[in-house]
Amino acid sequence: MMGERTVMQEALFYGFSLERHVPNEHMLRKIDRFVDLSGLRAELEPYYSNVGRPSIDPELMIRMLLVGYCYGIRSERRLCDEVHLNLAYRWFCRLGLDGDVPDHSTFSKNRHGRFRDSDLLRRLFETVVARCMSEGLVGGEAFAVDGSIIVADAHRQRGVVNSSALEPDSNRAVTEYLSVLDDAAFGGATPVEPKFVSPTDPAARWTAARGGPAVYAYADNYLIDLKHAVIMDVEATTAVRQAEVTAAKTMIERTADRLEVTPSRLAADTGYGSAEMLAWLVDERGIEPHIPVFDKSERTDGTFSRADFAYYKESDVYVCPAGKQLQKYRRAFATPRTGVDKDNTVRYRASKLDCDACELKAKCCPNTPARKIPRSIHEAARDVARAIAKTDAYIISRRERKKVEMLFAHLKRILRLDRLRLRGPWGARDEFLLAATAQNLRKMAKLIPAQAPIIAA
C-alpha cells in the first residue's frame, strides 16, 4: 500500500531532551570533557563595567569559537547560523533549544578589546596544554619545532614599494604594523626590506617560500612534544627564517617559565641549525640539538674543504693535509686581540711561505697566496650537533619530527586554516592560538576514551 506523508502539526508540548539527542561518540561530547572555563569570568572581570546592561556571556563566545575552529567554520557569520541550526552545537554552547545566538559583530568587538587586553586566548591555550599534561599525553623529553607559511588576507597584486607610503591611521592592521617595527618577530626580524608591502596588512611578508607565486603571508610556529604530538606553544611571526628561529627560542623559554617543562632534546630542520641557535641550545639551555648543522664550508670545485683540516683545541690551530699549521696570529700584539670578526668567526691563516712551497697548493688554494679557514666562535656547539647526528637517537628524532609537519597538514586541510581571515599581527596570533587549542582538544578526544556510564542495579 502506498504510504502518505504525514503533515507536520505544531504540538503544544514536546518531550525532547537535547542531552539525549547528542550521541556519546560525537566529537563535541568528547571535547566537552576537557574544556575548563571556570576561571574565565575572573580573568575578564576587570574589563567589564559594574553598571549598564548585562553583556553577552564570554563563555558562550569562547565555546562558539572553539566549535568554529574544530570544524573549520571560517566565517563568524556562518558560525552563528550553524550554531542556531545545529543541535549538537547548541548543546556544546549551553544554549538549549530556545537560547539566542549572539550577533557576529559581538566577536569582533570583544576580540579587539577584552580578549586581547587580557590575553585570554593565550591563557585558554595554556589551560588546554596543562590538561594534556595532567592526562599523561606530554612526555617532556623530546620536542620538535617548525614553522609553516599561512597566506594573509591581502591581495597579492596590490602593494606599495615602500612602507613610508602607508597612511598611519588608515586601518587597524597598519596601526599594529607600526607598533611592531622593533619586534624581533616582525619588523626587527631582519633589516632586509621586502619587495612589496601590502597597504591592507603591511605586517604580512611578501614571500615565495611556498614554491609558487609570491604572496603576502605570516609564519605559524609550533613547538610540540613528540610523545603524542601535543602542541606545547605557538607563535605568530613574519615569514622569514630569522623570525622563526627567534620564535623557537621564545616558545622554549615560555614553556619552561609557564609550564615548567624543558626538553632534553630538540628536533628541527636545517633552518634552525645555525651556529648561534646551536650554541643557545647547548650552552644556555642544556638541550641536545637533533638538528642538521647549517654548514656551507664544503667545496665543490675539487679543492680541500674545511673538513680536510684537523683542529687541535689545546694549541688552537688547524693542521692542513700537508702537516702545516694555520694560526690566528703569527706574532704577538701589545694589545691582545680576540680575532673575532663581525660575523662571529675567527680566521686561521697559513704561512705564505709554506703554501708557496707546498705540492698540494693546486688542490688547496690555487687562486690565493695562502689558505684561510674560518671558524665560528660557536663551533664547539656545532661539533656537539655533528656528533649527535651519528647516533641512532638522531635517526629516531628525524623520523618523529614529521609529526609537526602532519599537524600543519591537518591545520590546513581539515581545519581549513590555509588562509587567514583576520588581519594584522594580533589577528594572526589570535587565529593561530585558537587553531592550536582546537587541535589539542581534538587530540585528547581521540586518545582518551570516555568513561562508560555507570548503570544503577
Side-chain angles (χ1 to χ4, degrees), residues 3-75:
E4 182 179 356
R5 180 175 61 90
T6 303
V7 179
M8 184 183 69
Q9 296 180 355
E10 293 291 339
L12 185 60
F13 298 103
Y14 286 96
F16 182 84
S17 173
L18 191 59
E19 179 68 28
R20 292 199 307 266
H21 183 78
V22 181
N24 292 330
E25 297 302 319
H26 198 281
M27 187 179 69
L28 286 181
R29 187 177 284 279
K30 295 180 180 180
I31 287 177
D32 187 65
R33 299 172 292 156
F34 309 109
V35 178
D36 182 12
L37 302 179
S38 57
L40 181 66
R41 294 182 178 278
E43 293 284 347
L44 293 176
E45 186 176 1
Y47 301 93
Y48 282 92
S49 174
N50 294 325
V51 296
R53 65 180 182 178
S55 66
I56 301 296
D57 187 0
E59 180 177 346
L60 170 60
M61 288 186 285
I62 293 298
R63 286 184 173 272
M64 289 181 63
L65 287 174
L66 290 177
V67 169
Y69 279 85
C70 283
Y71 285 93
I73 303 174
R74 305 291 296 124
S75 169

Side-chain angles (χ1 to χ4, degrees), residues 140-186:
E141 297 180 357
F143 280 9
V145 65
D146 202 359
S148 183
I149 299 298
I150 306 294
V151 180
D153 184 25
H155 199 290
R156 59 179 302 271
Q157 295 181 348
R158 296 176 183 174
V160 295
V161 178
N162 198 317
S163 59
S164 60
L166 299 174
E167 298 181 7
D169 299 327
S170 58
N171 57 51
R172 190 187 304 272
V174 173
T175 304
E176 293 180 3
Y177 163 74
L178 296 176
S179 67
V180 297
L181 287 178
D182 297 329
D183 195 332
F186 292 97

Side-chain angles (χ1 to χ4, degrees), residues 403-434:
K403 293 180 180 180
V404 66
E405 297 177 357
M406 295 172 63
L407 282 172
F408 286 128
H410 178 268
L411 176 72
K412 296 178 181 181
R413 293 176 61 88
I414 306 301
L415 303 189
R416 302 178 183 177
L417 189 57
D418 55 346
R419 183 185 180 93
L420 291 172
R421 189 180 57 82
L422 305 180
R423 293 173 178 171
W426 311 143
R429 182 189 62 180
D430 292 348
E431 290 218 61
F432 295 160
L433 282 170
L434 282 169

Side-chain angles (χ1 to χ4, degrees), residues 310-319 325 328 348 375:
Y311 177 73
Y312 293 89
K313 183 178 179 180
E314 296 78 9
S315 54
D316 191 23
V317 296
Y318 274 95
V319 176
Q325 291 186 354
K328 288 190 294 186
Y348 294 78
R375 178 182 175 86

Side-chain angles (χ1 to χ4, degrees), residues 11-259:
L12 185 60
F13 298 103
Y14 286 96
F16 182 84
S17 173
L18 191 59
E19 179 68 28
R20 292 199 307 266
H21 183 78
V22 181
N24 292 330
E25 297 302 319
H26 198 281
M27 187 179 69
L28 286 181
R29 187 177 284 279
K30 295 180 180 180
I31 287 177
D32 187 65
R33 299 172 292 156
F34 309 109
V35 178
D36 182 12
L37 302 179
S38 57
L40 181 66
R41 294 182 178 278
E43 293 284 347
L44 293 176
E45 186 176 1
Y47 301 93
Y48 282 92
S49 174
N50 294 325
V51 296
R53 65 180 182 178
S55 66
I56 301 296
D57 187 0
E59 180 177 346
L60 170 60
M61 288 186 285
I62 293 298
R63 286 184 173 272
M64 289 181 63
L65 287 174
L66 290 177
V67 169
Y69 279 85
C70 283
Y71 285 93
I73 303 174
R74 305 291 296 124
S75 169
E76 288 169 358
R77 289 177 181 265
R78 184 188 164 203
L79 175 63
C80 293
D81 294 338
E82 293 289 339
V83 172
H84 177 72
L85 296 173
N86 193 300
L87 294 179
Y89 296 173
R90 280 185 166 272
W91 173 85
F92 182 79
C93 296
R94 307 295 192 265
L95 280 174
L97 287 174
D98 55 354
D100 294 330
V101 177
D103 188 76
H104 65 87
S105 62
T106 307
F107 293 95
S108 298
K109 182 68 175 179
N110 283 274
R111 181 190 302 112
H112 296 310
R114 301 181 183 96
F115 290 176
R116 288 182 184 173
D117 293 341
S118 63
D119 204 12
L120 179 66
L121 300 183
R122 168 69 63 180
R123 295 179 182 274
L124 174 66
F125 169 76
E126 292 177 350
T127 300
V128 175
V129 176
R131 183 61 183 273
C132 292
M133 295 172 60
S134 64
E135 295 289 347
L137 301 184
V138 176
E141 297 180 357
F143 280 9
V145 65
D146 202 359
S148 183
I149 299 298
I150 306 294
V151 180
D153 184 25
H155 199 290
R156 59 179 302 271
Q157 295 181 348
R158 296 176 183 174
V160 295
V161 178
N162 198 317
S163 59
S164 60
L166 299 174
E167 298 181 7
D169 299 327
S170 58
N171 57 51
R172 190 187 304 272
V174 173
T175 304
E176 293 180 3
Y177 163 74
L178 296 176
S179 67
V180 297
L181 287 178
D182 297 329
D183 195 332
F186 292 97
T190 173
V192 179
E193 290 291 333
K195 187 176 181 180
F196 298 107
V197 177
S198 170
T200 56
D201 192 355
R205 190 81 177 187
W206 177 257
T207 177
R210 299 192 308 166
V215 294
Y216 296 106
Y218 288 91
D220 187 7
N221 300 274
Y222 276 1
L223 178 69
I224 73 165
D225 182 87
L226 290 178
K227 182 179 180 180
H228 288 292
V230 172
I231 304 171
M232 301 298 295
D233 206 345
V234 57
E235 185 76 3
T237 64
T238 188
V240 295
R241 177 57 69 175
Q242 298 92 320
E244 295 177 16
V245 174
T246 302
K249 297 180 180 180
T250 301
M251 291 187 293
I252 291 173
E253 292 176 342
R254 188 163 50 206
T255 303
D257 293 340
R258 299 192 179 186
L259 301 175

